[in-house]
Each structure stands twice: as structure tokens, then as C-alpha cells.
Amino acid sequence: VGAAQLFLGMVQVAALGAAGGHLHDAVAAGGASPNHLWHESAAWNVGVGAGFLWVAARRTRPAGIVPILTAFVAMLVLLSAGDVVAGRVEALRLASHGLVLAGYLIVVTLTRPAFVLGGPPGGSRPAVRWRARFDATPDEAPTPLAAPDRSHPGGLTARHPGRRAG
């Protein structure tokens, strides 16, 4: 998905270059020409494609990219819906947004805690338990939680004080 998105952006850049580069004869609202807006769209496609490739190469949870992708996809959906209703968008151009949507869904899936990268289903690490105690005096040392027993053939089991593991 990242390579396809990057390719889409590069095709946009090449198409604008073949059409004559910067033609600033028509100015849209806000002082931007259609060519400048096309450049911005191409830059976003290249940037999003590169982001997707970065996520694929790192193979870690991509939580940091989710907020900007969420905002981008939400606005893209809203603006595209408005363009569809007004009849201002071609089906092929609208279909090209499918790459962004597919990549976004993959990134969101990769951020889910139940989805463990490179480990067995269900997680490769035991859950860390945290407990607040408000009844302890400053002189009392907190009781540490028991370490999990990794020798059990069926998986991880917690050792309980007063019980034998196994």
C-alpha cells in the first residue's frame, strides 16, 4: 500500500511536469493556483506513502502516525463526500483514495494491543499489573508481585504465594 501510494504521488508530480509546470494564470480562493493545489495533493500522496513504507520497515507499533492519519482520512472522506454530492469528482480519482483508506486501516490494526508483532497470538509478554496502596505507612515496603512461571508447558502461569507452581 505504501509503495502504491508513493507511486501515485510521483505520477502526479510527473503529470504536472509534463503539462507545463507552474502555470499560475488561474487563481483559486485563498490565492492558490490549481497547479499549486495539485502540488500539495502530490506532496501528501508521497508523504503518506513514505509514512506507510516507514511503518512496514520498522515493524513496531505505529501509534505516532495515527493522529495525523485520522485527521487526514476524516477530512478526505468529508471533502470527497461533498465532491460526490456536487458532482465535482471523477470515479477514478475517488478510487485512488482507497489506497489511503486501506493503509489507514492497516496502521490502526497494527496499533491494537491484541495484535502482537513478531510474537504468538495473544501476546508474548505477561500483563504487568500495577496496584496502588493507600493504607501502607512510609516504613512498610510494598509487597512485590510474583514473577510469572515460564516453565509451565501450557504457557505462562502466575505464581501465587503459598501455592506450588506446576
Side-chain angles (χ1 to χ4, degrees), residues 66-160:
V66 171
I68 195 165
L69 278 177
T70 300
F72 178 65
V73 168
M75 288 306 302
L76 186 62
V77 167
L78 289 173
L79 294 172
S80 294
D83 287 343
V84 167
V85 169
R88 293 185 302 235
V89 65
E90 298 173 6
L92 183 60
R93 181 70 182 144
L94 195 60
S96 71
H97 298 328
L99 291 171
V100 171
L101 186 58
Y104 174 70
L105 294 174
I106 290 168
V107 167
V108 169
T109 300
L110 291 172
T111 62
R112 304 300 305 159
F115 190 79
V116 177
L117 300 168
S124 58
R125 289 188 223 156
V128 176
R129 295 185 180 198
W130 180 85
R131 186 173 13 179
R133 290 190 53 192
F134 300 103
D135 60 341
T137 62
D139 296 336
E140 293 179 19
T143 306
L145 294 174
D149 179 8
R150 296 181 187 272
S151 65
H152 190 275
L156 299 176
T157 58
R159 288 189 203 155
H160 299 285

